[in-house]
Amino acid sequence: MSLARRFLLLQLVVVALLTLAVSLVLFAHERGAVVERAEAVTRVLATALADDPYVLEAAGEPDPHSALQPLTDRLLADTELDFVTIMAPDGTRWTHPWPSSVGEAYRGDRSHALAGETWTSTERGNLGPSVRTIAPVRDEDGTVVALVATGVLLEAVSQQALAQLPAVLLVGLLLLAASTTVAALGARYLGRVTHGWGPEELAQVHSLHDAVLNEATEGLLLVDTAGAVPVLNARARELLGIRAPAPGPARRRPLPVADLGLPTALEAVLLSGASVQEQWFVVDARTLIVSALPARGALAGRGTIVILRDHTEISRLSGQLRATATLAGALRAQTHEHANRMHTVVSLLELGRDEEALGFASADMARTRILSEDLLAHLEDPFLAALLVGKTAAAHERGVELEVVVDPDVPRVPVSPADLVTLVGNLVDNAVEAAAANAARVRPVVEVEITRAPDDAPARDTVVITVADTGMGIPAELADEVFELGVSTKPAGPSGRGVGLHLVREVVDRWGARIEHVNDGGAVFTVTLPVPHDTVTGRVP
């Protein structure tokens, strides 16, 4: 049975019981009102007869019945009373609706009246149970000379109450009809929003949706039109660095986007409500691909559905692959250059030029050793030293002179080897390509400087890596977006363009560094890396 039908049946039962209870209360109230009215009538008429001089005078005559019976008959005809009995102090009836009961003893309580008190009670007499009032008739001396009893039968009281029952039932039926209508409308709405499912089905669907939502490998969130996030799965919390709220009402309260601590660009995208296809954002140490589309179906018009994909590992693997390719290219260039030199040495030996061959080999070995030893002496990172040696050979193969300057007291660069190779390798590759492309105009040179920040710099404990080339520089129209994916000053190749600088920007953001670029006889890129205190003092963290 659907939840809506169960709700309707439960409402109908509750409404029916409430209607019955209200009807009984109304009927009991009406019956009580009739009894109160009967008590008031009997008391007023009994008091009036007891104070009537005619009754006092008739009580002193030899035959009170003849004088008083016509009076009581008229009262019974003109009022709501069912009996009027006037009696002697000893209870002998002088009047009664039944002539056969005249002269018999009164069957009710006379003690209060004989004591001079007007008394109202419910008692059983010859006519049946009744509401009655008995009052004393006093002479001038205050002596009780007669008693007057007036009464209304309880049967008459019940009939008067039953006469009001149709009105009570009508009120009850109106209440039942109104409540049933409201319950039916509520059940109809409930059936529409629950799709006619029962509680068990709803609980199962909720459990399944909750499991699927929180086990998804992608982050999913719904941003409503008010700029809050009512739906946020566990993966989205992990990717955005949002703590799960403590159990309680706050757990079900939507989180405002402005309180999530997101980067300004990502926050603007979430609040805009616009459709977005795979935009890249860096959140803390993660690179996220964000897609957003307006909610449809049952959620149409309620906000935007946002999908988050973690691209950190892919970017890291891509950087490592690119770094490996860079090292492989450097080794290939070294191998090629080494082969050329070996051919030269062999040819000199075959020509009998032993001294020239020995001098050529010694000079080449000395130059290579000096470059390697110089870099290794000043750089604690062997990966960076190996990269620069290889890049020197690769640049030389392309006719570009690569000059490397390393500050003697520069601390170890606080970046992982893979990220460091990605950072420096891509900057050097781009610089070599730019310098080689402009070789017809100026001698192609690439300068790489790795230094500590100057003593007067705001942050002394930093490593500054500068890569400058003699190329054409960065066009002004691309200056603000040169780090975006797919943006490049070179024509697209088979593997695409605009990837290297984007990877560099990811590394910079991941390690809390800063990168700047200017045109000064070519492009100059400067990366400033903060160094932890332990690294500055000589202890690698």
Side-chain angles (χ1 to χ4, degrees), residues 16 30 69 101 147 149 196 226 241 333 368 383 389 408 415 447 475 477 481:
E30 186 61 29
Q69 187 65 50
S101 297
L147 301 176
T368 303
F383 295 96
V389 171
V415 177
E447 295 180 356
E477 62 272 13
E481 52 187 34

Side-chain angles (χ1 to χ4, degrees), residues 193-211:
V193 298
T194 60
H195 304 288
W197 290 344
E200 296 80 6
E201 294 172 315
L202 289 174
Q204 183 179 8
V205 169
H206 177 269
S207 299
L208 291 174
H209 286 186
D210 188 64

Side-chain angles (χ1 to χ4, degrees), residues 354-375:
D354 298 347
E355 294 183 3
E356 287 86 346
L358 179 60
F360 179 82
S362 299
D364 181 65
M365 181 179 296
R367 183 178 62 82
T368 303
R369 185 177 65 252
I370 291 172
L371 175 61
S372 301
E373 290 177 353
D374 186 61
L375 288 175

